[in-house]
């Protein structure tokens, strides 16, 4: 794609003035306005090829449906992994809690904490 | 362009909804009080309602004695700390008293370990062989870990 000339380029204005006959003021203004408009709005055909390809793929209903379903399944997978990790950590905690229920030597720290709290004025 | 953006956004929304829904449905309960621990044990070992009632009753019967032993263990820990403080501050150690204390502590730890072992055996006797194996596999090794005691 041809890039439009930079309006701030100091060599452009003399080149424009060398056109015979010299451009009239409205023509020069129009040239500049077209240059400015050309910089901000690229035609449809000038879009990058990858983006256009992605858009085309997403326009296919079958692909769109499969994509949404895959996203849902991915969300489920992540949730299951998270729940599984939580269950493992909770099992470890509950084993320790159960041991504190039945083993006086492990219950010591709880009792000590309670007694210290009761001793406080 | 709008449609191309809409599909990924819908996918993102579907992922978030599936994630939150599944997580809320399967998230573990957070009650870690005695009732919560026993409920977990019932679930983990697949105890029947009858077994659960008997094991719960066993816990309720043993609770006060275990609590009493725990309080004694706390007193012993305090006593050990006072020996250590005296040694640090005065630079003196009453070796005879300390030796007696160590002997008492050893005996106390033996009583505690025996109490826990008796409890585990009583609870295990209410279970099927499969449940018993799992129960002892989970909790019996902890008896060995605690032999270090009250410090």
């Amino acid at each position: 794609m041809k890039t439009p000339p930079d309006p701030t380029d100091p060599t452009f204005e003399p080149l424009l003035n060398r056109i015979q006959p010299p451009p009239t003021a409205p023509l020069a203004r129009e040239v500049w306005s077209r240059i400015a408009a050309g910089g901000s709005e690229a035609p449809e055909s000038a879009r990058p090829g990858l983006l256009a390809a992605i858009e085309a793929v997403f326009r296919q209903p079958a692909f769109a449906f499969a994509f949404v379903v895959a996203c849902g399944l991915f969300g489920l997978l992540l949730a299951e992994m998270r729940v599984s990790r939580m269950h493992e950590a909770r099992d470890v905690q509950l084993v320790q809690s159960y041991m504190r229920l039945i083993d006086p030597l492990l219950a010591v720290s709880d009792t000590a904490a309670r007694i210290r709290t009761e001793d406080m004025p | 362009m709008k449609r191309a953006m809409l599909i990924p956004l819908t996918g993102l929304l579907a992922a978030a909804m599936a994630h939150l829904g599944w997580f809320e449905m399967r998230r573990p309960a957070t009650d870690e009080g005695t009732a919560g621990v026993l409920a977990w044990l019932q679930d983990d070992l697949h105890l029947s309602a009858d077994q659960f009632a008997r094991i719960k009753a066993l816990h309720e019967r043993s609770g006060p004695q275990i609590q009493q032993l725990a309080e004694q263990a706390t007193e012993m820990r305090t006593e050990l700390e006072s020996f250590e403080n005296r040694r640090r501050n005065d630079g003196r150690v009453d070796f005879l008293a300390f030796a007696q204390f160590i002997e008492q502590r050893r005996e106390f730890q033996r009583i505690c370990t025996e109490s826990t072992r008796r409890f585990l055996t009583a609870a295990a006797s209410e279970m099927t062989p499969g449940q018993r194996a799992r129960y002892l596999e989970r909790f019996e090794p902890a008896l060995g870990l605690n032999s270090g005691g009250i410090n």
Side-chain angles (χ1 to χ4, degrees), chain A:
Chain A
M1 193 180 82
K2 241 176 133 179
T3 53
D6 182 1
T8 58
D9 186 351
T11 60
F12 185 63
E13 187 73 41
L15 285 174
L16 194 63
N17 290 333
R18 274 169 50 192
I19 298 173
Q20 292 300 324
T24 57
L27 177 62
R29 212 169 29 246
E30 184 158 347
V31 169
W32 282 119
S33 68
R34 283 193 184 184
I35 288 170
S40 62
E41 196 178 301
E44 187 76 16
S45 59
R47 272 191 195 151
L50 182 65
L51 194 63
I54 291 172
E55 272 187 52
V57 168
F58 273 109
R59 277 202 193 95
Q60 295 172 21
F63 179 83
F65 179 73
F67 179 79
V68 172
V69 170
C71 283
L73 289 176
F74 184 65
L76 283 182
L77 177 75
L78 288 184
E80 182 53 33
M81 282 165 66
R82 193 172 156 203
V83 164
S84 173
R85 271 203 309 276
M86 279 183 84
H87 273 285
E88 279 171 24
R90 183 172 165 268
D91 277 4
V92 171
Q93 276 183 342
L94 284 167
V95 167
Q96 288 167 353
S97 299
Y98 187 73
M99 284 308 298
R100 276 199 292 275
L101 272 185
I102 64 170
D103 188 342
L105 295 178
L106 286 177
V108 163
S109 50
D110 292 349
T111 311
R114 189 166 51 78
I115 287 173
R116 276 189 205 117
T117 314
E118 282 169 4
D119 285 348
M120 280 182 188

Side-chain angles (χ1 to χ4, degrees), chain B residues 13-129:
Chain B
L13 192 69
M17 281 172 64
H19 183 91
L20 293 177
W22 189 257
F23 182 72
E24 280 304 314
M25 203 172 70
R26 302 244 308 129
R27 154 194 232 157
T30 49
D31 180 15
E32 281 190 32
T34 307
V37 172
L38 291 180
W40 164 78
L41 192 72
Q42 180 181 23
D43 187 48
D44 188 60
L45 298 175
H46 305 294
L47 298 173
S48 67
D50 208 29
Q51 285 175 314
F52 179 67
R54 285 199 297 269
I55 289 172
K56 193 175 168 194
L58 181 64
H59 274 279
E60 283 164 358
R61 275 201 308 276
S62 313
Q65 192 212 350
I66 292 170
Q67 188 59 38
Q68 197 183 357
L69 286 172
E71 280 165 16
Q72 279 181 38
T74 307
E75 285 166 20
M76 287 199 134
R77 177 190 271 181
T78 312
E79 204 174 336
L80 182 66
E81 282 170 4
S82 72
F83 270 113
E84 179 60 14
N85 287 341
R86 243 174 292 157
R87 187 190 66 78
R88 266 200 213 130
N89 299 335
D90 306 343
R92 285 187 298 119
V93 179
D94 183 347
F95 286 104
L96 192 63
F98 188 66
Q100 280 174 349
F101 170 76
I102 293 295
E103 189 53 41
Q104 277 175 7
R105 192 176 75 150
R106 193 172 295 138
E107 177 59 16
F108 178 73
Q109 282 173 351
R110 194 192 60 73
I111 291 169
C112 288
T113 306
E114 189 50 41
S115 151
T116 309
R117 194 180 300 281
R118 231 182 5 254
F119 183 91
L120 285 174
T121 310
S125 69
E126 303 291 348
M127 298 173 188
T128 64

